[in-house]
Every structure is written in C-alpha cells, then in structure tokens.
C-alpha cells in the first residue's frame, strides 16, 4: 500500500501550521494512469464529484430529450449548487414542467450557502426547503428519469431501478466493480471506487465523442453543459464556478464532499481525480488548482487561481497571516 | 522524528472515508509526559487554546482586581465565544466600565456564529462589529491590562509591553523558548511551542495552588472561571461549553483554530494538549472527548460526549450515514 502524498501546506508566519495529504490520479481517456501521487488504488466515495456519472442514465434513456431538458438543466443535474435564486427558481420550474413539486424530492431541506438567499429566508422567518438542497438539481434529473421510465416514487432507494442504472454506469465508466455504497448527504447511494477508477471515469468523459456510443454522446452533453453554465454547477464565490470560468470553458470540474475533486479536460482527453485523506475543502481546492496549472489549462495568475493556490490567509482585520500552498511535488 | 498518529476515523457505510492524524500529550503538573501519541516535539501554534496563558498578565499584574473583574470577565478573557448576546452584552459593559468602547478593540469584526445573534443582525441589515469577534473577551482583558499599566493603544503589536509580558508567561509555563510567532485571526501574536510544551503549560494550570506563587494564584482563578462559566467560554451547541458542563466543572477545556484542543484537570493535576495535523475541528473534538473518557473525567454516554465521540453523521434527512470514531489507540 502506498502512503498518501503531501498535497497542501498551511503556513502561518514561518511555521508550517497544518498539512494535508491525499491521492491524485491523472488518467488518459483509455484509463491509463499518466501520473499519480499517493495511492491510485485508494478506495473512496466520490460523493458529489460523480454527479455527471449519476446523470448519464437521464440522458442515455432519452428522458432528458423527452422532457426538453436544456444544457441549463443538465448543468443543474451535475451541480452542488448553493441554493441561490438562479438555482432554486430553475429547479422549481423544472419540477412544475414535470407536474411534480418540492415534496417529490428526497434530498431534504438545507440552509442555502448563497448569502442573499440565506438572508432572504431569515428576514421573512422562512425555512429552507428541498429546492435549497445543493443536490436538488441532481434529484430533479432523477425525477425526470423516473417520470420517463415510470418507476416508484422512492427513486433514492438503492434497490430502485434508477440507482441500479446509475450503478451500472458508475462501474462501466470507472472500469471497476464497486466495493459498496454509502448513503450520501442527499440520501442517494454513493458508490465507492478507487481514485484511479474515478480518474478513469473522468478520462472517459474527456475522451467521449459526439459520434460515439449513446453513453459517449451523453457524456459530451453533460461535460459541455457544466462548462457552459459554471454558475449553475456551484455558484458565486465557489471554486467550481470560478475555476471553470478561469479556464474559459476548456475544463469541467466538480467538487465532492470530504475532500474530493475531479476535472475533465477534453482538449487533452484526460481526467483527474483527487481525494484529500482528511476531507478538507481548502486542500482539495488548492490541489485541483495546482494540477490544472501543471497541466497548462489554468493561468496561475488568474484571481480565481490565486484565491486557492498560494492563497493568502486573511484574518478578521484582513491582515495577511499565512499561505495555503501546494506541495512542491505538484509543481 | 515521530510520525503523527491516527486519531480520528470517519466511516460512511462500511468504508473508511477520511482519516485524521495528529499529536497528543498528557503531562503532569511538573511537566513530565505521562502518555503521548504522535510526536510530542511537534511544533505548532496553540491558537486560541492558550488564551488562559495570554490572560495571566491580566490577573498577575493586579489589573483584574483593580478594575473589579469577576469570574465572568475572566471566563470571557479565556473565551472563543460565538457572539451571542450573553457575550457581546458583557463585553460592551466591560469596556464601558473602562471608559473604552468598540473602537478601542483591535480584533476586527466577525459575523457571530450564534444563530439568534447572526439572524438579528441580518433582519436589521446591521453589520457585525468587533464585540462579535470570538476574541473580544480576550481583547477586553488586554485593554484592562493596558489601562492599568498605561501603555500605547496598539496592544496587539508584538513589540507592545503587553505582548512581551504574554510571551514571558508563555515561555515560562510551556518551559520552552518559543521558535516564533504567527499573527492570529484576531491580529494578536500567537507564539508557537511543542505539543509537549502546551501540555506542560496545562499541567501547570492543573497543578497550580491557591497558596502558590502569584502566577499559580492567577492560573487557579482563570481555570476556575472557565469551569464556572462554560457558556461564556464558547456558547450553546459548542464543544467547549457542552463538554465542560458534562464534566461538572471538573475540567477546563479550550479549543484553538486549526485543530488544537487543551484540557486542564486539577483533580489529577494533569494537562492535555493535542494538535490535529490537518487542522480539522471534528477530529480535535472527537480526540479530546476520547482522552477525557480515557482519563475517567467524562462519561462516554453523556449526550455531549456522544455528539463528538462515536458520533453519528446525519444527512439533510437526518439519516444516519456514518460515524466519527476515535482511533483504537485512544481507547
């Protein structure tokens, strides 16, 4: 077993205050590892980083076209959004068009991370609803598939035909038999894989052709939808949104809870997956930025990059107290 | 160099999702290490976990008595509070009694983590002020010392006589020459030490006698103030407050940013210090709870314990998805 590699360092003054280790794999579109740090075989949950895989059945089944879903809908299906009005309004309209509503969702209510949306709820003594859940777009995609296929209401149950279809897509694109699933924050099953398997799946998305199989065509539409609507995939101030904008649509990236990040780079036909051992977001964001810079698809001097890679640690007085740095091995 | 030890495991379903390593030292009141995990010599910043050390000059100088400070004031001087009304009201009155005000603070404004206080600000379109800063009690203690001693307004400057006095108290109680300082979230200098040094300082606080030196007397008053007012040291829902209540005043504990925790156990005359390598709060809270249980001063079945040690991971639907566990070596 290969130990996790040092990926991110937190410096305060002249002293290394904290350190983050983990596993990174860069894969080509055939599933070959091009470069790795730590242990490529490390098993982890992709969490929300694999939403584009979970959306494959939606597109492949014909459900997306049957209900006229646009790239905006597909971007939301792949999103961990922050419950801003641009997200919740679209989710509400989407479900209405399916003759469904908030109560058909199974993701649970979540306080929005978007500050204007959060503050609007507080000012009116209102409670967050399931539309605000960061996964409500994914679940709207699930409901669209389910409407099209005519299965039972509990689409999040691991034995539901939708989740079985997702498992098939997951194991096909990762190229591995999953060792099992956990229940995610939104109550959907989340299948585990190796970091190499997750990178392999992203390599598949990167290399997929518009002239390829139904799965490849679906992958192209999903990766393009993400790159076209970075604001719908996460939201203002968020890493996914800001870093995708910074790459001018060349890269589709997605975070997952507990320190996961993936990147899909079609122009190079490569995929990236990383897991921070301790689950820290500051480290997953710094590391994915470092990898994208290393691969030449992200400007190290772009403000979105500098906010995460070699980023200043500012205190309550905006005094610069330290730096979030990528480990030397990532340069 | 000794590698960090595994301290906390994050399980989701049957798979280990994330892992936290770090360093723990249990010290007696003479500075002897009783037990340790990881590297006792690991250098780190105590951050807010050393506020009781930073408050020693306040008491030793006679400033606390000259201005009639009560145990409530001393608890606030050691606090990382969450800006609830019980905290900000007391800080406001404290400064008024000194003929000082919010603008004399140097800690910066911070949105309160206390939800009623946060929501009250949002509802009135008001902005947080320096009273809300989690360190405003510490800074009020600094201002009290400064008023008594008659030094310049920038009490947070590392060259200010107050910070020089704090450094002396810090190096005396840790028994080490500090390798340097970093600037903390509140703009005060924060001196680095080894985890063993921090535990040694907490052992000093634990073993200090009411009949001892001026420093010992001050240490007794500060540790007692913390144990007497756990709600002022942090706030409702917070680990410091809930775990101190669960020990029935037998233990004074304090968190520090980036994964630090200390405990002072007078009945055993021992001190504890721990640093999570990656800085995670979930791991520092789980680890300090495990150590307190191991030492026999915290009930493993108390709700405050079960919220952090072997704690369920609940999702947005309140479904139990996993567990935050202490490593076997802590049992």
């Amino acid at each position: 077993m290969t130990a996790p590699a040092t990926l991110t360092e937190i410096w305060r003054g002249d002293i290394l205050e904290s350190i983050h280790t983990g596993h990174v794999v860069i894969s080509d579109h055939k599933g070959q590892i091009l470069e790795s740090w730590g242990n490529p075989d490390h098993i982890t949950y992709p969490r929300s980083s694999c939403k584009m895989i979970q959306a494959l059945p939606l597109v492949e089944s014909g459900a997306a076209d049957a209900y006229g879903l646009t790239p905006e809908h597909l971007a939301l299906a792949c999103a961990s959004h922050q419950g801003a009005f641009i997200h919740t309004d679209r989710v509400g309209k989407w479900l209405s068009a399916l003759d469904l509503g908030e109560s058909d969702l199974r993701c649970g209510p979540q306080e929005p991370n978007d500050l204007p949306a959060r503050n609007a709820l507080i000012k009116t003594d209102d409670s967050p609803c399931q539309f605000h859940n960061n996964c409500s777009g994914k679940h709207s995609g699930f409901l669209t598939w389910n409407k099209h296929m005519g299965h039972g209401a509990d689409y999040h149950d691991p034995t539901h035909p939708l989740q079985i279809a997702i498992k098939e897509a997951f194991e096909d694109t990762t190229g591995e038999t999953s060792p099992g699933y956990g229940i995610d924050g939104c109550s959907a099953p989340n299948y585990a894989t190796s970091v190499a398997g997750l990178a392999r799946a992203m390599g598949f998305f990167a290399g997929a052709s518009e002239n390829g199989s139904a799965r490849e065509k679906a992958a192209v539409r999903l990766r393009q939808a993400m790159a076209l609507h970075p604001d719908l995939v996460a939201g203002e101030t968020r890493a996914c949104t800001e870093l995708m904008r910074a790459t001018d649509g060349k890269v589709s990236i997605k975070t997952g809870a507990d320190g996961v990040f993936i990147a899909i780079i079609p122009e190079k036909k490569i995929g990236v997956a990383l897991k921070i051992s301790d689950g820290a977001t500051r480290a997953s964001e710094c590391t994915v930025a470092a990898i994208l810079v290393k691969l030449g698809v992200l400007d190290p001097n772009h403000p979105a990059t500098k906010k995460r890679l070699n980023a200043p640690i500012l205190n309550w007085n905006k005094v610069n107290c330290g730096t979030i740095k990528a480990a030397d091995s990532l340069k």
Side-chain angles (χ1 to χ4, degrees), chain A:
Chain A
M1 180 182 154
T2 309
T6 297
L7 297 175
T8 304
E9 299 174 349
I10 311 297
W11 288 82
R12 182 173 296 267
D14 297 330
I15 292 171
L16 181 61
E17 181 165 32
S18 294
I19 196 162
H20 300 276
T21 66
H23 314 279
V24 187
V25 174
I26 303 175
S27 170
D28 72 13
H29 68 291
K30 294 175 180 168
Q32 292 301 304
I33 295 176
L34 300 177
E35 195 164 4
S36 70
W37 293 257
N39 179 11
D41 296 327
H42 177 83
I43 296 293
T44 196
Y45 292 114
R47 307 293 299 279
S48 290
S49 76
C50 72
K51 278 175 173 162
M52 69 297 292
I53 303 177
Q54 294 174 309
L56 283 170
L58 168 69
V59 182
E60 284 179 56
S61 65
D65 287 333
Y67 288 94
L69 300 195
T70 64
E72 286 194 359
H73 293 100
L74 298 184
L76 280 170
C78 301
S80 298
H81 66 69
Q82 57 192 14
F85 303 116
I86 61 164
H87 307 118
T88 53
D89 285 356
R90 281 172 174 77
V91 166
K93 286 177 187 161
W94 183 352
L95 294 184
S96 289
L98 297 172
D99 287 325
L100 297 172
E102 192 259 357
S103 64
D104 294 299
L105 291 168
R106 294 290 182 268
C107 47
Q110 176 185 3
E111 179 169 90
N113 288 315
D114 178 77
L115 293 186
R118 182 198 74 173
N119 293 355
L121 286 175
I122 290 167
K123 285 187 174 189
T124 54
D125 289 316
D126 213 348
S127 297
C129 71
Q130 296 195 83
F131 290 164
H132 295 103
N133 188 300
N134 78 88
C135 298
S136 68
K138 177 176 85 168
H139 282 243
S140 296
F142 287 176
L143 282 167
T144 306
W145 183 94
N146 212 28
K147 181 100 177 174
H148 188 64
M149 304 296 280
H151 292 290
D154 285 332
Y155 60 82
H156 64 305
D157 189 291
T159 64
H160 190 281
L162 171 61
Q163 298 306 330
I164 291 169
I166 287 172
K167 184 186 180 195
E168 185 281 322
F170 187 84
E171 294 188 331
D172 176 55
T173 54
T174 58
E176 296 177 1
T177 300
S178 171
Y181 67 87
I183 299 301
D184 212 336
C186 67
S187 293
N190 192 258
Y191 282 92
T193 186
S194 70
V195 179
L198 188 58
R200 188 179 295 118
M202 299 310 142
F204 164 76
F205 270 83
S209 162
E210 289 174 354
N211 303 315
S213 65
R215 179 149 290 169
E216 284 193 62
K217 289 187 175 97
V220 171
R221 286 174 68 181
L222 289 164
R223 79 175 189 225
Q224 288 179 342
M226 291 174 68
L228 198 59
H229 299 290
D231 54 342
L232 297 182
V233 173
E236 297 308 322
T237 77
R238 293 272 301 281
C240 288
T241 299
E242 292 188 348
L243 291 175
M244 277 198 281
R245 284 179 180 154
T247 66
D248 290 328
K250 285 188 294 188
V251 184
S252 301
I253 70 167
K254 183 74 192 70
T255 191
D258 251 89
V260 183
F261 237 111
I262 66 84
I264 299 164
I265 311 172
E267 71 175 27
K268 294 179 182 285
K269 294 189 181 182
I270 61 178
V272 177
L274 68 91
K275 162 72 181 174
I276 304 299
S277 304
D278 60 73
T281 300
R282 66 182 178 185
S284 66
E285 293 181 354
C286 177
T287 304
V288 79
I291 295 288
L292 294 177
V293 166
K294 183 181 174 69
L295 290 170
V297 291
L298 178 66
D299 177 359
N301 295 313
H302 191 287
T305 314
K306 290 166 78 176
K307 193 170 152 185
R308 280 116 192 154
L309 178 63
N310 304 321
I313 298 173
L314 302 180
N315 73 5
W316 300 114
N317 283 318
K318 311 290 183 200
V319 172
N320 188 340
C321 303
T323 313
I324 301 178
K325 288 183 186 169
D328 286 345
S329 66
L330 292 174
K331 285 172 189 166

